[in-house]
Amino acid sequence: MESVLAASSSVLSSALPPGEYEVFLSFRGPDVRNTFADHLYTSLHRSRIRTFRDEEELRKGEGIAPSLVQAIPNSKIYVPILTKQYASSKWCLQELAQMVGCWKQKKGHLILPIFYFVDPRDARHQHGSYQEAFEQHARKHSPETVNEWKEALREVGQMKGWHVTESDSQGAIIEQIVSEVELHLRGIYALVTDELVGIDSHVEEVMALLNTPSSIGKVVGIHGMGGIGKTSLSKAVYNKIFTQFDRSCFLEDVRETLTKSDGALSLQSKLISSIMKKDNHQVSNDVVISEEFVKVAAGLPLALKVIGSLLFRRERKFWEEKLIELQGIPSTTENKVQERLKISYNELSHNEKQIFLDIACFFIGTHKDLIYYMWSGCDFYPESGITTLIHRSLMKLDEGNHFWMHDHIKDLGRAIVREEDIQHPYNRSRIWSADDALDMFRNARVKIFVNGLMIFGPHINEKVLDNNYIYICVMTSFFSFTVFRELNG
């Protein structure tokens, strides 16, 4: 049996020969070079879309440079950014005319215009600043050239694109543009299938199976004797559905590949490279560094989870630095689990650290709403802080919105507080031991740097207020829970 594995895939920019591009980006430099055009180029580059960026203000001379003469026909999608002064540049108009010329040849080129702070009608009919620009061009260039430029603008002005106004979110529009480019590129890179007579009916049968209602993913097996057309049918189905997903990947010859010594790794690398838009060399490097993190985590699932949460969506340089830091922890360290978990704590902000330590020392099992007011009063911004702690796998909220921590992580938090003063609990920021707290009160040794304490017992019902602290006592039938936090310091 063979199966189609559709998971995620990127466009195949790494397969492009030198000198060919997926996107040709045209703009007038002084208008958007350091703003919209730069952000768009960065987003395209981050999505591993090979983009030619023409900075027209860097060029000299009358004609289009040889590199541009080749880059325009060798690009698949043209993205001209039409600004108010775009038409004042003869180079921009020359490029636009060549783009339209390639588009008219119907060789698969596509133009996706962006009208940046300019009405598309002004570009289409040469009104406003466009009219003024052409009046200047008419004095310097032949009527044939000017008419060619005007015709190119008329064509582009009628095309579907994006009209960016001052009130629009430019980041959101750039995301739309990149998604649209990716969608068209995936169509360009659609898998080529053999021309099989009667394949359409089989494709429809498979599509019907895929379209049945389901709340989970679908797996459809296609089986039959060799050479009957299973792979071609799979490719035909894939071509019909892959544009419906953010990423897609077609893995073929799975059985044959798995018979090789490195077959599983090869398939894994191809899949990951498609999902993450990385080439195989990058994937291999990532596998190596990931294996190193597994080693330094000492095989502890909790440490792997916390470290993985810390590394999520971080740059490779950050990974490398954290790996060196973890490798620097001696294997003979008594509390090796805590030391490995602490690397995530160290990356928290001051406010996030305070919330983390409060939970570890006092609030495991407590409903979050009871504590949020105190943290808000201390300007700790608990909503964002709790979200960060959850994303870092340092804590959870159970179904009833009560705080929960793994015992190792709770021990880490309390160990951090103990390290503030190993010998004298009263010099620590938090006291969760009832004996230590009562002893502190009996001996009148309250320190102004003690931020919180907890007292258990049936006979305690204090409420104390002085210049620096507010003490809050919450009574239950079993114990008194006392916490105080500095308000003025």
Side-chain angles (χ1 to χ4, degrees), residues 303-314:
L304 279 173
K305 185 176 182 180
V306 172
I307 294 170
S309 299
L310 173 65
L311 301 176
F312 183 60
R313 294 188 181 277
R314 296 298 191 101

Side-chain angles (χ1 to χ4, degrees), residues 190-434:
L191 297 170
V192 178
T193 61
D194 298 329
E195 294 294 333
L196 294 180
V197 177
I199 196 173
D200 290 345
S201 61
H202 297 297
V203 170
E204 295 305 319
E205 288 184 33
V206 176
M207 292 294 293
L209 293 172
L210 292 172
N211 289 333
T212 54
S214 174
S215 59
I216 59 175
K218 294 287 187 65
V219 176
V220 176
I222 303 174
H223 65 91
M225 60 183 295
I228 201 172
K230 299 185 296 295
T231 299
S232 296
L233 175 58
S234 300
K235 288 181 179 179
V237 173
Y238 176 86
N239 286 342
K240 275 187 170 290
I241 66 174
F242 78 97
T243 56
Q244 301 173 24
F245 303 92
D246 291 335
R247 301 287 181 264
S248 59
C249 178
F250 189 92
L251 293 179
E252 55 185 323
D253 299 326
V254 174
R255 182 176 58 191
E256 291 79 1
T257 304
L258 288 175
T259 60
K260 302 176 182 178
S261 58
D262 62 342
L265 180 60
S266 174
L267 290 171
Q268 181 188 54
S269 297
K270 182 178 179 181
L271 180 60
I272 294 175
S273 66
S274 296
I275 295 172
M276 304 303 294
K277 297 188 175 183
K278 297 178 179 181
D279 58 36
N280 289 334
H281 178 68
Q282 288 177 301
V283 173
S284 298
N285 289 340
D286 288 345
V287 169
V288 170
I289 195 171
S290 296
E291 290 175 345
E292 291 300 314
F293 276 110
V294 172
K295 291 179 183 178
V296 296
L300 302 169
L302 176 63
L304 279 173
K305 185 176 182 180
V306 172
I307 294 170
S309 299
L310 173 65
L311 301 176
F312 183 60
R313 294 188 181 277
R314 296 298 191 101
E315 298 293 333
R316 183 178 179 83
K317 184 65 176 178
F318 183 86
W319 282 42
E320 293 171 347
E321 290 179 353
K322 290 303 159 189
L323 179 59
I324 294 172
E325 184 176 345
L326 284 166
Q327 289 173 333
I329 300 174
S331 57
T332 56
T333 301
E334 182 178 353
N335 295 318
K336 62 180 181 180
V337 177
Q338 289 183 8
E339 289 300 318
R340 283 158 175 76
L341 297 177
K342 192 175 180 181
I343 191 174
S344 186
Y345 169 83
N346 292 337
E347 291 296 321
L348 299 175
S349 69
H350 170 76
N351 291 343
E352 292 161 356
K353 288 179 178 177
Q354 302 310 305
I355 294 173
F356 170 78
L357 295 177
D358 279 351
I359 295 173
C361 293
F362 303 128
F363 300 133
I364 294 176
T366 304
H367 196 284
K368 70 179 184 66
D369 290 347
L370 295 177
I371 315 301
Y372 266 38
Y373 294 107
M374 181 185 73
W375 285 327
S376 296
C378 296
D379 293 330
F380 287 168
Y381 307 103
E383 192 66 39
S384 61
I386 291 299
T387 299
T388 298
L389 295 179
I390 292 174
H391 287 170
R392 295 282 178 85
S393 298
L394 294 174
M395 59 151 289
K396 292 181 182 178
L397 286 172
D398 64 18
E399 293 181 358
N401 274 333
H402 299 89
F403 295 119
W404 180 90
M405 269 186 184
H406 193 284
D407 287 343
H408 284 310
I409 297 178
K410 178 193 71 175
D411 293 342
L412 166 67
R414 295 187 175 189
I416 290 170
V417 174
R418 287 194 191 95
E419 289 172 358
E420 295 171 357
D421 194 316
I422 300 297
Q423 295 182 340
H424 304 99
Y426 321 117
N427 293 337
R428 302 169 188 162
S429 61
R430 294 160 181 82
I431 298 177
W432 59 90
S433 165

Side-chain angles (χ1 to χ4, degrees), residues 8-174:
S8 286
S9 161
S10 68
V11 292
L12 307 177
S13 59
S14 60
L16 286 175
E20 290 193 14
Y21 300 88
E22 290 164 314
V23 172
F24 183 92
L25 192 60
S26 172
F27 57 91
R28 182 178 178 272
D31 297 342
V32 290
R33 178 181 67 247
N34 296 322
T35 53
F36 187 86
D38 184 63
H39 300 325
L40 176 57
Y41 176 82
T42 300
S43 295
L44 291 167
H45 181 72
R46 186 181 298 120
S47 294
R48 299 188 61 78
I49 297 173
R50 189 184 290 183
T51 304
F52 186 98
R53 174 170 52 179
D54 174 36
E55 302 195 39
E56 59 84 24
E57 77 282 0
L58 299 180
R59 289 187 277 115
K60 298 179 181 180
E62 293 297 320
I64 300 180
S67 59
L68 286 173
V69 172
Q70 295 300 318
I72 293 176
N74 288 341
S75 299
K76 303 180 186 304
I77 297 176
Y78 307 130
V79 182
I81 305 176
L82 278 67
T83 52
K84 289 183 178 180
Q85 299 303 318
Y86 183 88
S88 66
S89 167
K90 64 177 182 292
W91 293 295
C92 288
L93 293 175
Q94 288 172 352
E95 292 172 8
L96 194 70
Q98 188 175 358
M99 292 179 216
V100 172
C102 292
W103 170 73
K104 286 183 174 181
Q105 293 176 13
K106 300 187 182 300
K107 293 184 177 180
H109 298 289
L110 179 69
I111 301 178
L112 297 175
I114 300 169
F115 303 95
Y116 187 81
F117 295 0
V118 65
D119 192 317
R121 291 171 296 184
D122 289 348
R124 184 162 60 247
H125 303 297
Q126 289 91 56
H127 290 162
S129 60
Y130 281 71
Q131 179 180 357
E132 296 172 3
F134 275 104
E135 289 174 353
Q136 295 294 323
H137 291 313
R139 298 188 182 100
K140 302 176 182 179
H141 305 283
S142 67
E144 294 77 12
T145 298
V146 172
N147 287 336
E148 181 186 16
W149 294 346
K150 285 184 175 182
E151 179 60 27
L153 271 172
R154 276 193 290 269
E155 292 279 6
V156 173
Q158 296 175 18
M159 295 178 179
K160 180 182 177 182
W162 291 269
H163 182 197
V164 183
T165 66
E166 294 184 7
S167 62
D168 289 327
S169 169
Q170 296 189 20
I173 290 178
I174 286 175

